[in-house]
């Protein structure tokens, strides 16, 4: 058998193994070809490709460099070298290779793909989209191009277009897991939870053991208030976190499980999976000794958002003689009055959306910030990778996420004695720091609209009792809904006024009411409205019913600020004790219950006793401005004292 025949047999078998993903075996066969013909360019280039697939870019470059010199007109080899350069962080050189490859062969699919991917990686989303569109003009049935185009449109927040691209990728390649999964993720963003659930179920059929699938399904079940699937989903999610078989977003896990050890394990697993560990910390023990303590607040919520509503007054009131206050914002600019107010309130407002985590961390280090305050935690839009680089001496978890981050990069969590007793310390990677009253900051300048619509205009009965819960639909659990339906059954003519969160939730909750023997028309859904008007309309309700195990947080302070009494059942974890902290602080501890039976009984008592309920409203009105809960200035002094101690040489905390 001639060497040429042996080589071609080896090449065919190597290609077969390579396509099947057997990289080690394929590489061995390509190297056997080189034993027979040591300069074989095709075998050498394929070894380079395999090394790239094995994340060994430097070795790949050593092979591809001489090949480019030997075969300067080979667009594919030049593109593979560009990919190696890109993997090594040499973006400009990589782009030059891709451009040169396209000059050699303008319609080269692989060069067009790699060029688009590099632009996407560099954050040049519009240019990346143009590159993928150029690729699709050449190869309209290339599912990878549609998939990448979908990712780009997602980053451009063109969600409907992103979904269409993923659908196209899936139509061309029905077995493509990523297209099905990403479709579900986009549908979550679009609040189309029933469709998201179907997309994640499709993804599960393609990859049953993929660690992200269950989290996607759970998010769709929660967001759509799918109470029929809730219990089974809870069992699966808890079991998966316990045995480590799935990576669940910590915020998704909280409503399903209040076990502190499992919650901590969930956060730790999520961080280990999603947050790359930097090679070295940016801050190495220096203490700056500035005249003013430099505090950086990090968030994607510096626009019209619940977090912004809470924190705006604090930012304005910080003592500029002792503190320099900066925003590191990775939030969209919604053009709102709140966005303008925040930009004015901060001494420095850095829009870092276009920067990667390492670049943002470097800005913090170069700015010599003493304290970084993460306002996101594990909520949507979070970027835990920034503080993973350890850019600041003190790094704090506050306000956005009511639980542990599960990472050594956060030193402290700001809480209070009600929401987070020190006995919970074993379940927190951060050191627990108590503020003197409720941990939740509130803005005493929040406007309430003067004009209030009538009950009839709001779709409510003019004379019947109105129970209310404006919490997001994902906080509604079967056990709470059962209590609410029993209350409606017991209080004649009463209604439950809920936030019209999304179409899926509205339909699912109405079906759940019917299943429990309640006319679904007794569930009244309030459309989203401007914040001042939303606060004003709460005065049309009689009693706010809290959720468990995840309480009302901003929605609870909204109700109290508007003068609407709220009853809660204190849970066992941070997120289930926020309303209790608010009520204790405002002097209405009698509205805090400690079992669902007590909660239901109190709600029924108040619904039947208008005199007592009226007295509670009078008490709430009197306490609203006299208690610490809405005293922004006093809260500011308390949190500044905590910051001062955090950076003190003795570190007394």
């Amino acid at each position: 058998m001639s060497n040429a025949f042996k080589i071609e047999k080896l090449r065919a078998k190597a290609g077969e193994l390579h396509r099947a993903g057997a990289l080690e075996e394929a590489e061995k066969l390509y190297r056997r070809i080189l034993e027979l013909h040591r300069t074989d360019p095709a075998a050498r280039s394929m070894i380079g490709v395999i090394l790239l697939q094995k994340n060994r870019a430097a070795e790949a470059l050593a092979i591809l460099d001489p090949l480019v010199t030997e075969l300067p007109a080979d667009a594919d080899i030049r593109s593979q070298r560009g990919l190696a350069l890109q993997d090594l962080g040499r973006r400009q050189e990589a782009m030059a290779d891709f451009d040169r490859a396209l000059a050699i062969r303008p319609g080269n699919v692989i060069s067009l793909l790699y060029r688009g991917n590099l632009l996407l990686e560099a954050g040049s989303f519009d240019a990346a989209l143009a590159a993928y569109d150029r690729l699709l003009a050449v190869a309209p049935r290339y599912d990878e191009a549609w998939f990448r185009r979908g990712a780009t449109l997602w980053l451009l927040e063109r969600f409907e277009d992103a979904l269409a691209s993923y659908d196209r990728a899936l139509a061309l390649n029905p077995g493509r897991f990523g297209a099905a999964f990403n479709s579900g993720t986009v549908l979550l963003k679009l609040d189309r939870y029933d469709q998201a659930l179907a997309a994640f179920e499709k993804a599960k059929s393609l990859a049953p053991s993929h660690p992200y699938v269950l989290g996607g399904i759970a998010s769709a079940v929660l967001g759509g208030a799918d109470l029929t699937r809730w219990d089974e989903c809870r069992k699966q999610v808890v079991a998966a976190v316990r045995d480590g078989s799935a990576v669940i977003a910590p915020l998704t896990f909280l409503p399903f499980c209040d076990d502190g050890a499992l919650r901590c394990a969930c956060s730790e697993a999520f961080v280990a999976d999603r947050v790359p560990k930097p090679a070295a910390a940016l801050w190495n023990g220096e203490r700056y000794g500035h005249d003013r303590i430099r505090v950086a607040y990090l968030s994607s919520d510096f626009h019209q958002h619940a977090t912004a509503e809470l924190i705006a007054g604090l930012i304005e009131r910080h003592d500029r003689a002792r503190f320099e206050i900066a925003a590191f914002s990775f939030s969209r600019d919604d053009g709102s009055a709140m966005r303008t107010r925040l930009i004015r309130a901060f001494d420095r407002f850095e829009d870092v959306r276009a920067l990667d985590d390492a670049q943002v961390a470097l800005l913090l280090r170069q700015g010599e910030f003493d304290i970084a305050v993460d306002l996101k935690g594990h909520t949507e839009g979070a970027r835990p990778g920034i503080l993973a680089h350890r850019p600041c001496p003190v790094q704090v978890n506050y306000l956005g996420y009511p639980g542990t981050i599960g990472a050594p990069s956060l030193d402290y969590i700001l809480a209070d004695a009600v929401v987070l007793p020190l006995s919970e310390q074993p379940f927190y990677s951060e050191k627990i720091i108590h503020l003197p009253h409720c941990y939740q900051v509130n803005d005493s300048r929040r406007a309430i609209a003067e004009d209030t619509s009538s009950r009839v205009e709001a779709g409510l009965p003019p004379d019947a009792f109105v129970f209310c819960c404006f919490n997001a639909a994902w906080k509604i659990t079967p056990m709470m809904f059962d209590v609410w339906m029993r209350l409606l059954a017991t209080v004649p003519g009463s209604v439950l006024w809920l936030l019209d969160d999304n179409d899926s939730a509205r339909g699912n909750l109405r079906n759940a009411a019917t299943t429990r023997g309640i006319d679904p028309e007794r569930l009244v859904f309030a459309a989203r409205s401007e914040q001042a008007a939303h606060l004003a309309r709460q005065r049309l309700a009689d009693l706010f019913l809290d959720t468990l195990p995840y309480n009302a947080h901003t929605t609870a302070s909204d109700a109290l600020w508007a003068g609407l009494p709220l009853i809660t059942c204190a849970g066992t974890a941070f997120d289930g004790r926020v309303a209790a902290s608010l009520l204790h602080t405002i002097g209405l501890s009698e509205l805090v219950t400690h079992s669902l039976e007590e909660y239901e009984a109190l709600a029924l008592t108040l619904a039947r006793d208008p005199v007592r309920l009226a007295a509670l409203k009078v008490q709430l009105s009197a306490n609203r401005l006299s208690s610490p809960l809405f005293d922004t200035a006093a809260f500011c002094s308390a949190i500044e004292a905590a910051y001062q101690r955090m950076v003190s040489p003795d570190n007394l905390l």
Side-chain angles (χ1 to χ4, degrees):
M1 185 184 297
S2 69
N3 273 359
F5 185 74
K6 288 179 183 178
I7 287 172
E8 290 314 309
K9 278 195 71 175
L10 287 169
R11 199 186 312 279
K13 183 61 177 176
E16 181 183 326
L17 289 168
H18 195 177
R19 287 188 293 274
L23 301 184
E24 295 290 346
E25 292 83 354
E27 184 180 350
K28 287 177 184 177
L29 293 187
Y30 284 128
R31 291 192 184 277
R32 283 183 61 190
I33 291 173
L34 294 183
E35 291 172 6
L36 297 171
H37 183 211
R38 66 185 182 85
T39 62
D40 188 284
R44 289 157 64 199
S45 76
M46 292 313 299
I47 291 170
V49 169
I50 289 172
L51 290 170
L52 283 171
Q53 291 175 303
K54 292 163 72 174
N55 298 315
R56 290 158 60 182
E59 295 172 62
L61 185 61
I63 288 174
L64 295 166
D65 256 344
L67 277 171
V68 167
T69 302
E70 294 169 27
L71 301 168
D74 191 309
D76 288 338
I77 290 174
R78 190 170 289 275
S79 293
Q80 296 300 341
R81 187 180 74 163
L83 184 59
L85 290 164
Q86 179 181 347
D87 287 351
L88 293 169
R90 295 160 62 179
R91 289 179 177 171
Q92 287 186 332
E93 295 170 82
M95 185 59 77
D97 264 351
F98 299 147
D99 287 341
R100 178 58 183 156
L102 288 169
I104 295 167
R105 198 192 314 164
N108 187 24
V109 169
I110 200 71
S111 306
L112 288 166
L113 177 67
Y114 289 170
R115 189 175 187 278
N117 294 350
L118 177 57
L119 290 165
L120 184 62
E121 178 188 288
S124 300
F125 303 143
D126 288 319
L129 182 62
Y132 294 132
D133 285 342
R134 179 181 170 189
L135 169 55
L136 286 166
V138 175
R141 298 186 59 79
Y142 187 21
D143 64 291
E144 177 70 12
W146 285 107
F147 181 80
R148 294 285 182 166
R149 185 177 187 271
T152 308
L153 289 162
W154 164 269
L155 291 167
L156 287 167
E157 299 188 359
R158 291 171 54 182
F159 301 119
E160 292 286 0
D161 293 334
L163 183 62
S165 282
Y166 286 135
D167 285 347
R168 182 64 177 149
L170 198 58
L172 291 166
N173 182 359
R176 181 152 194 156
F177 166 83
F181 185 88
N182 287 6
S183 291
T185 303
V186 175
L187 287 161
L188 289 179
K189 187 70 177 177
L190 293 169
D191 292 339
R192 288 153 57 180
Y193 294 100
D194 291 344
Q195 294 176 49
L197 181 61
F200 289 128
E201 292 286 5
K202 167 69 174 175
K204 182 180 179 181
S205 72
L206 296 172
S209 60
H210 194 286
Y212 294 170
V213 169
L214 181 57
I217 291 171
S219 294
V221 167
L222 287 177
D226 190 344
L227 303 188
T228 60
R229 291 180 172 86
W230 199 95
D231 285 319
E232 180 59 30
C233 190
R234 178 189 62 80
K235 292 174 186 175
Q236 293 177 10
V237 165
V238 171
V241 169
R242 183 176 284 118
D243 64 24
S245 60
V247 177
I248 309 293
L251 185 62
T252 299
F253 190 63
L254 296 189
F256 289 118
C257 180
D258 57 7
D259 181 278
L262 283 177
R263 285 179 162 199
C264 186
C266 179
S267 288
E268 289 174 345
F270 185 83
V271 169
D273 182 78
R274 299 288 186 91
V275 184
K277 189 175 181 180
L282 289 175
W283 176 74
N284 295 299
E286 304 91 337
R287 291 287 177 171
Y288 300 127
H290 304 129
D291 292 337
R292 297 188 295 166
I293 296 171
R294 298 179 186 176
V295 181
Y297 287 95
L298 282 66
S299 183
S300 62
D301 298 330
F302 292 137
H303 52 255
Q304 187 60 53
H305 185 276
T307 297
E309 292 283 347
L310 293 176
I311 207 166
L314 170 65
I315 303 305
E316 291 167 339
R317 287 179 178 271
H318 270 306
D319 181 0
R320 270 23 186 221
R322 296 187 298 125
F323 293 88
E324 181 181 334
I325 307 298
F328 278 66
S329 171
F330 31 100
S331 61
R332 60 189 173 85
D333 183 352
D334 62 351
S336 65
M338 176 57 72
R339 174 82 171 188
T340 301
R341 180 182 173 190
L342 287 168
I343 290 173
R344 289 174 178 168
F346 283 102
D347 300 317
R348 171 180 172 185
F349 193 96
E350 293 282 352
D351 187 337
V352 297
R353 283 175 294 173
L355 304 182
D356 63 28
D357 290 348
Q359 291 170 323
V360 180
L362 186 60
L363 271 183
L364 286 163
R365 178 65 181 88
Q366 291 171 340
E368 295 189 351
F369 284 93
D370 301 285
I371 301 174
V373 183
D374 179 7
L375 296 173
K376 290 301 300 177
H378 284 310
T379 57
E380 184 182 7
R383 291 179 60 177
I386 295 172
L387 296 187
H389 288 272
R390 175 53 77 171
C392 302
V394 176
Q395 302 186 164
V396 182
N397 172 13
Y398 177 57
L399 192 61
Y401 180 70
T404 185
I405 302 303
S409 55
L410 276 295
D411 305 300
Y412 301 108
I413 181 168
L414 284 169
D416 63 60
V418 174
V419 295
L420 194 54
L422 295 180
S423 58
E424 295 293 297
Q425 184 65 75
F427 309 127
Y428 279 73
S429 59
E430 309 91 335
K431 184 176 181 180
I432 298 169
I433 302 301
H434 284 164
L435 294 173
H437 300 292
C438 181
Y439 85 102
Q440 187 193 83
V441 62
N442 275 283
D443 179 11
S444 57
R445 288 182 51 194
R446 280 198 292 171
I448 303 175
E450 294 183 6
D451 295 330
T452 304
S453 60
S454 69
R455 277 191 169 190
V456 173
E457 290 171 326
L460 300 168
D463 301 318
F465 196 88
V466 176
F467 295 106
C468 168
C469 181
F470 284 143
N471 284 359
W474 60 265
K475 296 184 183 182
I476 301 174
T477 64
M479 66 178 181
M480 294 308 305
F481 198 74
D482 287 344
V483 172
W484 294 349
M485 294 304 98
R486 287 196 297 269
L487 288 170
L488 291 187
T490 307
V491 180
S494 61
V495 297
L496 177 61
W497 198 18
L498 300 170
L499 181 69
D500 195 1
D501 201 330
N502 60 81
D503 292 344
S504 299
R506 189 188 328 110
N508 286 330
L509 290 172
R510 282 180 169 159
N511 290 338
T514 301
T515 300
R516 289 159 175 79
I518 298 297
D519 182 353
E521 294 303 313
R522 294 177 69 185
L523 273 57
V524 181
F525 292 90
R528 294 183 183 275
S529 71
E530 183 270 331
Q531 182 66 13
H534 174 63
L535 290 172
R537 71 181 172 183
Q538 300 201 38
R539 294 168 173 166
L540 300 174
D542 293 300
L543 184 65
F544 190 110
L545 299 175
D546 196 13
T547 49
L548 192 73
Y550 200 116
N551 283 176
H553 293 186
T554 306
T555 43
S557 57
D558 283 351
L560 297 174
W561 181 245
L564 175 62
L566 171 149
I567 65 168
T568 191
C569 181
T572 60
F574 189 145
D575 53 297
R577 300 177 67 85
V578 171
S581 176
L582 292 164
L583 288 166
H584 283 304
T585 303
I586 206 169
L588 290 171
S589 298
E590 63 264 42
L591 296 179
V592 179
T593 65
H594 299 280
S595 70
L596 286 182
E597 293 77 16
E598 185 185 348
Y599 169 98
E600 185 174 349
L602 178 58
L604 185 56
T605 296
L606 292 175
R608 288 173 168 173
D609 190 344
V611 174
R612 182 178 174 187
L613 184 57
L616 281 170
K617 289 185 177 181
V618 171
Q619 185 180 353
L620 173 56
S621 179
N623 293 2
R624 193 173 73 111
L625 297 180
S626 62
S627 79
L629 184 59
F630 296 109
D631 189 340
T632 311
F635 183 92
C636 183
S637 296
I639 201 170
E640 287 179 349
Y643 290 161
Q644 186 78 55
R645 294 195 301 275
M646 287 176 186
V647 299
S648 68
D650 298 329
N651 198 10
L652 299 177
L653 291 174

